[in-house]
Amino acid sequence: MPRATPVRPLGINHLVLNVRNMDESHHFWCDLLGFEHVGTLDSEHRMQFYGTVHEGGLHHHDFALAEVPTLPEPTQKWSMFGGTSAIGHIAITYPDRESWLEQVEFLKENGVPMNLRLDHGMTHSMYVNDPNGYGVEVLYELPREVWEHDINGALNHAVPYPEDQILEDNTDYTTDFQPRDRARDRA
């Protein structure tokens, strides 16, 4: 008998990002975000693969960069809902609050523009962008018991931080989710 529904996947295995300049992109993803270069495509096309350690060891690759020098220049100012990239943003998870705080401070000290700092109902996040204009959400996940009772509320909850407080983090996690500020989203 044929299936009536699709087989549920485990998740997204990897993605491939087209980049204008492999060297500057490699620097961002390895030297600033901490991914490991695990392989290079042996062909006339310049493509490199990157991974992280997962349960059981190093993953074969989480994403790849494919050099396409003819890509357009990214917009000057990153925006959550603007820009020329078809990808809104890529979310990178750090193991815990302490490592996330260290990473955000490391990015700031290394001159990576801090675009937006938000506390969501299920994550605390800093939004930056790579040299190609791809938005990158650097985050840590809140304890499951904070958000599992209302995933939709957690997804719609967003508390922005002022620019002078981006390295602060409130651990008084709310479970009373408030809707995001729609006027701010349109800005």
Side-chain angles (χ1 to χ4, degrees), residues 115-127:
N115 296 315
L116 179 62
R117 168 74 173 85
L118 288 177
D119 283 357
H120 294 291
M122 66 288 171
T123 67
H124 284 187
S125 305
M126 173 61 74
Y127 292 85

PDB file of all heavy atoms in Angstrom, residues 115-127:
ATOM      1  N   ASN A 115      24.500  43.619  14.364  1.00  0.00           N
ATOM      2  CA  ASN A 115      23.325  44.184  13.703  1.00  0.00           C
ATOM      3  C   ASN A 115      22.098  44.279  14.604  1.00  0.00           C
ATOM      4  O   ASN A 115      21.370  45.257  14.563  1.00  0.00           O
ATOM      5  CB  ASN A 115      22.970  43.353  12.470  1.00  0.00           C
ATOM      6  CG  ASN A 115      24.052  43.408  11.429  1.00  0.00           C
ATOM      7  OD1 ASN A 115      24.589  44.456  11.118  1.00  0.00           O
ATOM      8  ND2 ASN A 115      24.403  42.259  10.883  1.00  0.00           N
ATOM      9  N   LEU A 116      21.861  43.234  15.382  1.00  0.00           N
ATOM     10  CA  LEU A 116      20.629  43.191  16.164  1.00  0.00           C
ATOM     11  C   LEU A 116      20.792  42.169  17.280  1.00  0.00           C
ATOM     12  O   LEU A 116      21.228  41.045  17.053  1.00  0.00           O
ATOM     13  CB  LEU A 116      19.458  42.783  15.260  1.00  0.00           C
ATOM     14  CG  LEU A 116      18.075  42.656  15.881  1.00  0.00           C
ATOM     15  CD1 LEU A 116      17.590  43.977  16.455  1.00  0.00           C
ATOM     16  CD2 LEU A 116      17.088  42.139  14.828  1.00  0.00           C
ATOM     17  N   ARG A 117      20.421  42.552  18.495  1.00  0.00           N
ATOM     18  CA  ARG A 117      20.469  41.660  19.654  1.00  0.00           C
ATOM     19  C   ARG A 117      19.037  41.454  20.126  1.00  0.00           C
ATOM     20  O   ARG A 117      18.336  42.418  20.437  1.00  0.00           O
ATOM     21  CB  ARG A 117      21.346  42.290  20.732  1.00  0.00           C
ATOM     22  CG  ARG A 117      21.283  41.661  22.086  1.00  0.00           C
ATOM     23  CD  ARG A 117      22.010  40.323  22.180  1.00  0.00           C
ATOM     24  NE  ARG A 117      22.006  39.909  23.574  1.00  0.00           N
ATOM     25  CZ  ARG A 117      21.006  39.252  24.148  1.00  0.00           C
ATOM     26  NH1 ARG A 117      19.959  38.894  23.459  1.00  0.00           N
ATOM     27  NH2 ARG A 117      21.073  38.947  25.431  1.00  0.00           N
ATOM     28  N   LEU A 118      18.567  40.193  20.125  1.00  0.00           N
ATOM     29  CA  LEU A 118      17.199  39.876  20.531  1.00  0.00           C
ATOM     30  C   LEU A 118      17.176  38.723  21.520  1.00  0.00           C
ATOM     31  O   LEU A 118      17.941  37.771  21.379  1.00  0.00           O
ATOM     32  CB  LEU A 118      16.351  39.442  19.325  1.00  0.00           C
ATOM     33  CG  LEU A 118      15.922  40.473  18.307  1.00  0.00           C
ATOM     34  CD1 LEU A 118      15.154  39.795  17.173  1.00  0.00           C
ATOM     35  CD2 LEU A 118      15.070  41.550  18.944  1.00  0.00           C
ATOM     36  N   ASP A 119      16.272  38.812  22.485  1.00  0.00           N
ATOM     37  CA  ASP A 119      15.902  37.656  23.288  1.00  0.00           C
ATOM     38  C   ASP A 119      14.605  37.129  22.696  1.00  0.00           C
ATOM     39  O   ASP A 119      13.578  37.823  22.706  1.00  0.00           O
ATOM     40  CB  ASP A 119      15.675  38.044  24.754  1.00  0.00           C
ATOM     41  CG  ASP A 119      16.965  38.268  25.510  1.00  0.00           C
ATOM     42  OD1 ASP A 119      18.051  38.068  24.926  1.00  0.00           O
ATOM     43  OD2 ASP A 119      16.878  38.652  26.687  1.00  0.00           O
ATOM     44  N   HIS A 120      14.665  35.941  22.135  1.00  0.00           N
ATOM     45  CA  HIS A 120      13.463  35.261  21.663  1.00  0.00           C
ATOM     46  C   HIS A 120      12.940  34.406  22.817  1.00  0.00           C
ATOM     47  O   HIS A 120      13.594  34.267  23.842  1.00  0.00           O
ATOM     48  CB  HIS A 120      13.787  34.354  20.468  1.00  0.00           C
ATOM     49  CG  HIS A 120      14.215  35.092  19.242  1.00  0.00           C
ATOM     50  ND1 HIS A 120      13.366  35.880  18.507  1.00  0.00           N
ATOM     51  CD2 HIS A 120      15.414  35.149  18.616  1.00  0.00           C
ATOM     52  CE1 HIS A 120      14.012  36.387  17.470  1.00  0.00           C
ATOM     53  NE2 HIS A 120      15.265  35.973  17.520  1.00  0.00           N
ATOM     54  N   GLY A 121      11.801  33.808  22.616  1.00  0.00           N
ATOM     55  CA  GLY A 121      11.237  32.963  23.657  1.00  0.00           C
ATOM     56  C   GLY A 121      11.934  31.630  23.810  1.00  0.00           C
ATOM     57  O   GLY A 121      11.783  30.959  24.824  1.00  0.00           O
ATOM     58  N   MET A 122      12.723  31.221  22.794  1.00  0.00           N
ATOM     59  CA  MET A 122      13.418  29.937  22.868  1.00  0.00           C
ATOM     60  C   MET A 122      14.928  30.071  22.707  1.00  0.00           C
ATOM     61  O   MET A 122      15.650  29.114  22.914  1.00  0.00           O
ATOM     62  CB  MET A 122      12.859  28.933  21.857  1.00  0.00           C
ATOM     63  CG  MET A 122      13.079  29.278  20.407  1.00  0.00           C
ATOM     64  SD  MET A 122      12.006  30.640  19.980  1.00  0.00           S
ATOM     65  CE  MET A 122      12.577  31.068  18.398  1.00  0.00           C
ATOM     66  N   THR A 123      15.402  31.258  22.315  1.00  0.00           N
ATOM     67  CA  THR A 123      16.837  31.511  22.173  1.00  0.00           C
ATOM     68  C   THR A 123      17.158  32.938  22.595  1.00  0.00           C
ATOM     69  O   THR A 123      16.283  33.803  22.625  1.00  0.00           O
ATOM     70  CB  THR A 123      17.312  31.356  20.707  1.00  0.00           C
ATOM     71  OG1 THR A 123      16.729  32.394  19.907  1.00  0.00           O
ATOM     72  CG2 THR A 123      16.972  30.004  20.133  1.00  0.00           C
ATOM     73  N   HIS A 124      18.423  33.178  22.888  1.00  0.00           N
ATOM     74  CA  HIS A 124      18.953  34.528  22.990  1.00  0.00           C
ATOM     75  C   HIS A 124      19.937  34.644  21.840  1.00  0.00           C
ATOM     76  O   HIS A 124      20.769  33.752  21.628  1.00  0.00           O
ATOM     77  CB  HIS A 124      19.602  34.774  24.341  1.00  0.00           C
ATOM     78  CG  HIS A 124      18.594  34.977  25.428  1.00  0.00           C
ATOM     79  ND1 HIS A 124      18.937  35.345  26.696  1.00  0.00           N
ATOM     80  CD2 HIS A 124      17.240  34.878  25.429  1.00  0.00           C
ATOM     81  CE1 HIS A 124      17.835  35.450  27.437  1.00  0.00           C
ATOM     82  NE2 HIS A 124      16.797  35.163  26.688  1.00  0.00           N
ATOM     83  N   SER A 125      19.820  35.725  21.072  1.00  0.00           N
ATOM     84  CA  SER A 125      20.472  35.793  19.771  1.00  0.00           C
ATOM     85  C   SER A 125      21.157  37.122  19.505  1.00  0.00           C
ATOM     86  O   SER A 125      20.675  38.175  19.927  1.00  0.00           O
ATOM     87  CB  SER A 125      19.427  35.569  18.672  1.00  0.00           C
ATOM     88  OG  SER A 125      18.722  34.368  18.855  1.00  0.00           O
ATOM     89  N   MET A 126      22.259  37.030  18.755  1.00  0.00           N
ATOM     90  CA  MET A 126      22.933  38.194  18.184  1.00  0.00           C
ATOM     91  C   MET A 126      22.957  37.970  16.675  1.00  0.00           C
ATOM     92  O   MET A 126      23.354  36.901  16.221  1.00  0.00           O
ATOM     93  CB  MET A 126      24.364  38.324  18.703  1.00  0.00           C
ATOM     94  CG  MET A 126      25.167  39.426  18.022  1.00  0.00           C
ATOM     95  SD  MET A 126      24.475  41.064  18.236  1.00  0.00           S
ATOM     96  CE  MET A 126      24.921  41.362  19.929  1.00  0.00           C
ATOM     97  N   TYR A 127      22.521  38.969  15.928  1.00  0.00           N
ATOM     98  CA  TYR A 127      22.523  38.871  14.471  1.00  0.00           C
ATOM     99  C   TYR A 127      23.699  39.664  13.914  1.00  0.00           C
ATOM    100  O   TYR A 127      23.859  40.846  14.207  1.00  0.00           O
ATOM    101  CB  TYR A 127      21.209  39.405  13.894  1.00  0.00           C
ATOM    102  CG  TYR A 127      20.023  38.533  14.230  1.00  0.00           C
ATOM    103  CD1 TYR A 127      19.344  38.684  15.430  1.00  0.00           C
ATOM    104  CD2 TYR A 127      19.599  37.554  13.350  1.00  0.00           C
ATOM    105  CE1 TYR A 127      18.256  37.885  15.748  1.00  0.00           C
ATOM    106  CE2 TYR A 127      18.513  36.745  13.656  1.00  0.00           C
ATOM    107  CZ  TYR A 127      17.850  36.911  14.855  1.00  0.00           C
ATOM    108  OH  TYR A 127      16.781  36.108  15.159  1.00  0.00           O
TER     109      TYR A 127
END
